[in-house]
């Protein structure tokens, strides 16, 4: 059985992340969306809030699970029995970063990184961009994030 981990900050989940989750769910038996617990990044949402937003958005995908990650990625993967890491690529900057991390992870454990190219319409979407336009009170966030995230952002940023 193929189990893939899609790790990230998801602060918050965007349509770009969602597209990667949907596509990965067709490639693997199970996809675990791993919400990072990175204390060095100042987050808008807590890991528990992120889990709730992601779970509600992917409720229609039967083989997708959402979990809080702890420890090293490869340690967490061994706990959940995942052999694949899924990451999304928007541009060459993402590529350089992901290539380094993939090299490190494969040196640490028997895991394979699968990089999925962002759809052209999602290439400019990032969680930080969404937070910036949200803080300006922009009303067209629904182009960038799922409806439940629009609602949560409005509540958090008002
Ligand atoms: P991290 O801090 O681990 O990079 P992010 O939540 O920013 O966490 O991103 C998680 C993963 O989703 C990364 O592989 C990133 O490249 C990918 N990703 C982010 N935004 C998009 C997007 N718009 N389209 C496709 N993949 C994306």
């Amino acid at each position: 059985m193929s189990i893939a981990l899609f790790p990230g900050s998801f602060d918050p989940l965007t349509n770009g992340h969602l597209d990667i989750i949907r596509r990965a769910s067709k490639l693997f038996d199970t996809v675990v969306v791993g919400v990072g617990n990175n204390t060095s990044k100042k987050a808008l949402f807590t890991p528990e809030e992120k889990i709730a937003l992601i779970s509600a958005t992917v409720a229609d995908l039967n083989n997708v699970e959402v979990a809080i990650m702890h420890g090293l990625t490869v340690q967490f993967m061994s706990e959940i029995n995942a052999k694949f890491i899924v990451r999304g690529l928007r541009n060459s900057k993402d590529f350089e970063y992901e290539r380094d991390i993939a090299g490190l992870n494969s040196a640490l454990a028997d895991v394979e990184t699968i990089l999925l190219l962002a759809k052209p319409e999602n290439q400019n979407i990032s969680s930080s961009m969404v937070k910036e336009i949200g803080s300006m009170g922009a009303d067209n966030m629904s182009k960038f994030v799922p409806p439940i995230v629009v609602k949560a952002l409005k509540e958090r940023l008002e």
Side-chain angles (χ1 to χ4, degrees), residues 30-93:
T30 302
V31 174
V32 178
V33 180
V35 175
N37 201 354
N38 187 346
T39 42
S40 68
K41 270 196 184 178
K42 210 174 145 266
L44 189 62
F45 295 99
T46 66
E48 290 75 17
E49 288 169 333
K50 293 175 189 178
I51 298 250
L53 292 173
I54 301 169
S55 303
T57 307
V58 302
D60 62 314
L61 300 172
N62 294 332
N63 64 338
V64 176
E65 294 165 19
V66 193
I68 294 181
M69 288 203 304
H70 46 83
L72 280 179
T73 303
V74 290
Q75 283 171 334
F76 184 70
M77 289 177 74
S78 134
E79 273 175 42
I80 63 169
N81 219 5
K83 286 270 182 275
F84 302 94
I85 308 177
V86 172
R87 296 280 287 177
L89 285 188
R90 286 162 293 186
N91 48 44
S92 53
K93 205 171 137 226

Side-chain angles (χ1 to χ4, degrees), residues 6-10 16-17 20 41 87-88 90 94 98 118 122 125:
F6 179 38
S9 308
F10 306 108
H17 293 132
I20 299 292
K41 270 196 184 178
R87 296 280 287 177
R90 286 162 293 186
D94 276 356
E98 297 300 342
N122 292 334
I125 305 179

